[in-house]
Amino acid sequence: MLAVKELFVGGYSDYLDMPRRNVSDFGFTGCIKNLQFNADTSGFANSILAHKVIPGCPELIARSVNFPPPANNYISKMITTDPIRFHVTMKIRTERTEGLLLYAFSPSDDRKFFSFFLDDGKIKVVSTQGTQLYSKLSNYNDANWHYISVVNAGQELTLNINDEDMTVTSSAIQLNPDVQLYFGGFSRDVNLPDSVTKSQFHGCIEDVTINGKFFNFAMAKASSGVRLNLCPLDISTTFPSTSVLPATPPPTLPPGQCALPLQPAEADPSTATGYRFGTTSNTSRWEINKLNGNEGRNKLSIDFQTKTPDGILMYVADKSHNDFMSIFLKNGYLHFHFNCGSGTASLITPKTYNDGKWHKVQISRQAKKGTMGVDNTKVLRTSSTGSSSSLDIIKPYYFGGLSAAQRIKAKKNLNGINMQYVGCMRNIEIQKKPVADDAGEMFEVEPCSSLAEFGTFFGQGGGYIQLYKKFHIGTDLELSLDVKPRSMSGVLLSVYSRDFLLLELVDGEVQVTFDNGAGAFTSKSQPQFNNEICNGRWHKIKVVKAKHVAYLIVDGIKSVLATGKAGASSADTKHPLYIGGIPEEGKHKAVKSSVPYVGCIRNVKIKEESVSLVGKMSSGNVRFGSCSTI
C-alpha cells in the first residue's frame, strides 16, 4: 500500500521537488467537493493548510491574465458595444519592449479596427484611419504596473497612462457595434493589418474595463498557455513563481467579509528557504563565530533577496574597526569594502540589485587585492593602498545587521549606510564552506517563507510609522500607495493640526479629507462591492490636491471632486505624517474609522518621490519588508 505522508489538493507547494515532465506546474482553477481518500470521507475538514482557498463555489472571476514566454497565446471574445464612444482601461506589467495588448475589429467589416501595443517600450495606438498615437515616455517595459486608458469620444482619441502621460489626437476610431477582441496575441486565422504589431505580449494584463464594464477573462476564450489570476513576481520566467494558484477572491464574498483573515495563517516551516532579516527589529542579525585562520585570504558568498535600497549584508572587523571587511547595499548598488589597516579598497557594482529577485554575491581578498562578482556578471577587481596586506579581524561575522553598539563603531566603514538589512539570505559560505543553520547566534531572524511578498504589514491591535517629523501639505499635493487590506476600515495616512490631511478606509470605501483652515472637504471612492478593497489583491490609491480641490484615483477609477472654500488654498501643516495608523493622542474628530487598519502597504510616493518605509520610526504591530499571502 502507498504510504502517504502529505496529500495536496488543487496545487502543491514550492518546496516539493516535483518532476516537471510528469506533473503540471500550475494549480487547479475551479471547485472541488465530496473529497474522499481511501475510507476517509471527512473531505477538507481536517486539512492542515489552505492557501488562497475559499469555501463555497462562486462564479469564477478572473481579473488578471498572464502570458508566459515563450509561447504565443491570446484571450478572445466577441462583444457588442457603443461604436461612438469606446473606452478601454487596463493595467499591464512586462519586461518586453514589444507586444500586442489589444486588437479589436468588426467582423461585419474587418477593415474597421483599433489596436494598441508596446513599441520599443512606448504605448502605440493605431486605427483604421491611419491614426498613430504614441505615449511620450518609453519605459513601460520596466516590470512595474502601468495603468492605460484609451478613450474614443466623438472625433477625439485620448491615450492616458498612469494619469501622467497623456496624448490626444482629433482622429477617431471607427468600429461597428459588433467587436471581436484579442488580448496579448491573436489566433492563426486572423490577418492583422500592417500597422499592428505581430509581436506576442509576454507579461500580465489586469483589471480590464470596456465602456466602464469589468471584463471577466474567465468568460472569454483562452489559448492553452494562458494563466488566469496568476502574475508571478518574476514575469520573465516560463513558469510562475509558485505552484499554488492564487485564486482571485470573487466580489460575491459575504458583505463585510475580507478575503484574507485579520491574523495571517502560520506558514508551513518546510516552505521556507533561507532566513529573513529586519521585519521587527533594527538589530536583526546573525552572528557567526567563525574565522578562517588565514589573515591573508578571505572568500565569502551570499544569496540575497530584497527590495529595499540600503542595508548591511555582512560586516567583520577588529576591535577598533580599523581593519574591516563589509558588503552592503547603498541606493540598490552592492558595495564591497575592506581595509588591511593602511587604506580602504572599494568595489561598487554598475547596476542595482534590490529588485526582489535572488542574487549571489561572491567576494574574495588575497593580501591587498579584492574581487566581487554578482550572478554571472563580470568580476570587479580592486587593490587597497598602503603597505599592510593582512586583515586582523576578530569574531564574529555579522550578517544582516549589527547590534546597536557595533553600529555606532562601524559607521565610519559603511559609507553612511547604517541601515538594517530587510530581506532574505541563504547559502552563506565562508572559505567555500557552507555555514550550518545552527552556527552562531540569531537575533530577531525568522525563516524566509515563500508564502510572503514584499511590503510593510500593520497587524491587529494597531501600529503606525512616522514618515516625517514635520510635513507641510501646502497648496498642491500628489501621493500614491499600494494597499492590500485585511480590514474594511482604518487610517492609511494622516497629517493633523488645525489644517490636515486624512486618508482612510471607511466600511470598504476609500476617503480622503483635507482642511485648508476653512472647513473640511472629502472625496470618496464608490466601489461596486463594499469589500472590493479587501478582496485579497493589491490596490493602487492616488490622492491629488490642487488648492481647494481634491480627488482620489483608486485602481484607475477617478472619484468625484471634493471642493473646499475658494480662497483657502493651502494646508499649512508642520506636524508628523503617519502611515498605517495614528498614535492614540493623534486621533481627531475627522477620523471616521473606529478600528485600526490591518493589512499591507508598499510603493509609497509623495510628490513623485518614492519613500521607503524601512528605517522609519514605528510603533505597535508593524512588520517591515514582508507580507504574508495567507
Side-chain angles (χ1 to χ4, degrees):
M1 179 179 290
L2 179 67
V4 178
K5 184 179 179 181
E6 292 181 289
L7 176 66
F8 291 85
V9 178
Y12 54 86
S13 296
D14 268 346
Y15 72 90
L16 291 178
D17 186 17
M18 302 294 285
R20 289 195 183 275
R21 290 182 58 189
N22 302 319
V23 181
S24 170
D25 195 70
F26 297 97
F28 170 74
T29 304
C31 294
I32 297 176
K33 65 178 182 180
N34 300 331
L35 175 67
Q36 179 176 337
F37 186 71
N38 291 334
D40 185 356
T41 60
S42 60
F44 297 103
N46 297 323
S47 61
I48 58 174
L49 176 67
H51 177 52
K52 294 195 174 178
V53 177
I54 59 174
C57 191
E59 176 189 2
L60 180 61
I61 303 293
R63 292 181 176 270
S64 67
V65 60
N66 176 29
F67 301 91
N72 293 320
N73 292 295
Y74 63 87
I75 291 275
S76 69
K77 188 176 184 181
M78 176 75 75
I79 65 169
T80 301
T81 190
D82 181 357
I84 305 301
R85 177 177 174 82
F86 192 61
H87 184 193
V88 181
T89 68
M90 67 171 65
K91 293 193 297 185
I92 69 162
R93 181 169 169 256
T94 185
E95 292 181 343
R96 304 296 178 95
T97 58
E98 316 286 332
L100 180 66
L101 297 172
L102 174 66
Y103 174 60
F105 69 95
S106 298
S108 58
D109 185 355
D110 59 9
R111 294 171 301 176
K112 295 182 177 181
F113 74 90
F114 153 71
S115 179
F116 58 93
F117 48 88
L118 280 154
D119 182 13
D120 196 24
K122 291 189 173 186
I123 305 297
K124 182 179 180 180
V125 183
V126 299
S127 71
T128 309
Q129 292 73 24
T131 302
Q132 291 195 4
L133 196 61
Y134 279 96
S135 62
K136 298 172 184 175
L137 303 179
S138 59
N139 62 337
Y140 296 117
N141 62 315
D142 60 359
N144 292 316
W145 283 108
H146 297 287
Y147 168 76
I148 301 173
S149 169
V150 181
V151 185
N152 174 59
Q155 294 301 309
E156 188 173 84
L157 179 63
T158 304
L159 170 64
N160 185 339
I161 305 170
N162 298 332
D163 296 304
E164 297 170 350
D165 184 352
M166 182 181 294
T167 50
V168 182
T169 181
S170 58
S171 179
I173 301 167
Q174 289 185 0
L175 290 171
N176 290 347
D178 61 316
V179 178
Q180 178 71 50
L181 303 174
Y182 280 91
F183 294 92
F186 55 94
S187 60
R188 293 181 179 179
D189 59 343
V190 173
N191 294 315
L192 295 183
D194 292 340
S195 59
V196 178
T197 185
K198 311 302 187 293
S199 297
Q200 166 71 41
F201 174 74
H202 291 136
C204 298
I205 297 177
E206 187 173 281
D207 292 339
V208 173
T209 68
I210 298 175
N211 288 347
K213 294 182 179 179
F214 159 66
F215 185 88
N216 186 0
F217 288 111
M219 297 294 106
K221 178 183 177 182
S223 59
S224 60
V226 165
R227 303 300 167 189
L228 301 180
N229 287 332
L230 177 61
C231 188
L233 181 64
D234 184 358
I235 54 177
S236 64
T237 183
T238 303
F239 297 97
S241 59
T242 176
S243 302
V244 182
L245 184 65
T248 300
T252 51
L253 285 167
Q257 178 180 320
C258 292
L260 296 171
L262 284 174
Q263 180 63 38
E266 290 290 332
D268 186 338
S270 59
T271 65
T273 172
Y275 294 98
R276 189 180 300 278
F277 297 79
T279 57
T280 59
S281 169
N282 64 359
T283 56
S284 170
R285 64 197 186 276
W286 188 0
E287 296 184 8
I288 298 175
N289 293 310
K290 181 177 181 179
L291 289 178
N292 54 292
N294 187 335
E295 298 173 346
R297 294 182 180 182
N298 301 95
K299 284 184 179 291
L300 189 143
S301 68
I302 309 169
D303 291 358
F304 68 96
Q305 179 195 53
T306 186
K307 275 202 167 185
T308 54
D310 304 314
I312 301 166
L313 290 175
M314 186 282 300
Y315 184 84
V316 64
D318 64 6
K319 190 173 182 179
S320 61
H321 294 262
N322 291 324
D323 287 25
F324 75 92
M325 190 166 59
S326 63
I327 307 172
F328 57 89
L329 284 161
K330 183 175 183 179
N331 297 323
Y333 296 93
L334 267 172
H335 290 237
F336 169 44
H337 295 187
F338 68 89
N339 191 332
C340 297
S342 57
T344 300
S346 303
L347 287 172
I348 306 172
T349 58
K351 61 173 287 188
T352 58
Y353 289 95
N354 60 322
D355 55 6
K357 300 177 183 179
W358 282 103
H359 299 285
K360 178 182 285 292
V361 56
Q362 297 175 294
I363 63 96
S364 70
R365 183 200 67 86
Q366 182 169 354
K368 296 165 58 178
K369 296 179 180 180
T371 68
M372 176 170 62
V374 185
D375 301 332
N376 295 316
T377 59
K378 182 180 178 181
V379 174
L380 305 175
R381 302 178 185 278
T382 189
S383 182
S384 62
T385 59
S387 58
S388 180
S389 60
S390 63
L391 192 65
D392 298 322
I393 52 178
I394 60 174
K395 297 182 288 186
Y397 279 89
Y398 293 92
F399 289 90
L402 298 167
S403 66
Q406 289 296 325
R407 185 182 289 120
I408 295 171
K409 297 176 182 178
K411 185 177 181 180
K412 63 180 181 178
N413 297 328
L414 293 168
N415 273 32
I417 293 301
N418 213 14
M419 295 276 293
Q420 168 69 51
Y421 171 73
V422 178
C424 292
M425 292 189 203
R426 67 185 183 190
N427 299 335
I428 298 175
E429 292 187 3
I430 300 175
Q431 296 301 101
K432 294 186 176 182
K433 294 181 179 180
V435 174
D437 291 344
D438 58 355
E441 188 174 3
M442 293 185 181
F443 300 85
E444 302 294 333
V445 176
E446 60 189 54
C448 183
S449 172
S450 60
L451 303 180
E453 58 191 336
F454 177 77
T456 298
F457 180 73
F458 299 84
Q460 284 184 284
Y464 62 87
I465 294 172
Q466 181 181 295
L467 278 187
Y468 300 102
K469 190 174 182 179
K470 292 183 179 181
F471 185 82
H472 183 247
I473 297 170
T475 56
D476 300 325
L477 177 66
E478 283 193 15
L479 63 89
S480 64
L481 64 163
D482 295 349
V483 301
K484 184 189 276 191
R486 293 173 181 252
S487 63
M488 294 176 60
S489 297
V491 173
L492 295 173
L493 187 145
S494 175
V495 182
Y496 182 70
S497 60
R498 188 176 69 91
D499 299 358
F500 66 85
L501 153 63
L502 174 65
L503 178 65
E504 61 180 332
L505 300 179
V506 182
D507 194 26
E509 197 174 63
V510 184
Q511 298 187 6
V512 64
T513 303
F514 285 95
D515 192 330
N516 292 331
F521 49 104
T522 302
S523 180
K524 304 177 182 179
S525 68
Q526 296 178 322
Q528 186 177 0
F529 307 96
N530 76 327
N531 50 2
E532 189 173 308
I533 194 69
C534 61
N535 63 359
R537 300 177 66 81
W538 285 99
H539 300 273
K540 179 172 286 294
I541 300 173
K542 184 175 182 178
V543 175
V544 180
K545 176 186 181 291
K547 297 180 175 58
H548 63 285
V549 176
Y551 62 90
L552 288 162
I553 301 173
V554 180
D555 294 331
I557 300 174
K558 188 175 179 179
S559 66
V560 177
L561 295 178
T563 306
K565 185 176 180 180
S569 59
S570 179
D572 296 321
T573 55
K574 292 187 293 185
H575 288 69
L577 186 155
Y578 296 106
I579 192 165
I582 48 178
E584 282 295 324
E585 62 272 17
K587 287 188 176 179
H588 47 90
K589 61 181 180 181
V591 176
K592 301 181 183 69
S593 53
S594 58
V595 295
Y597 172 74
V598 178
C600 280
I601 296 177
R602 69 182 184 190
N603 297 339
V604 178
K605 284 188 176 182
I606 298 177
K607 298 178 181 178
E608 299 186 352
E609 293 290 331
S610 294
V611 181
S612 175
L613 304 187
V614 174
K616 305 293 184 181
M617 189 191 83
S618 65
S619 179
N621 191 354
V622 180
R623 286 175 54 85
F624 293 99
S626 176
C627 289
S628 172
T629 60
I630 58 176

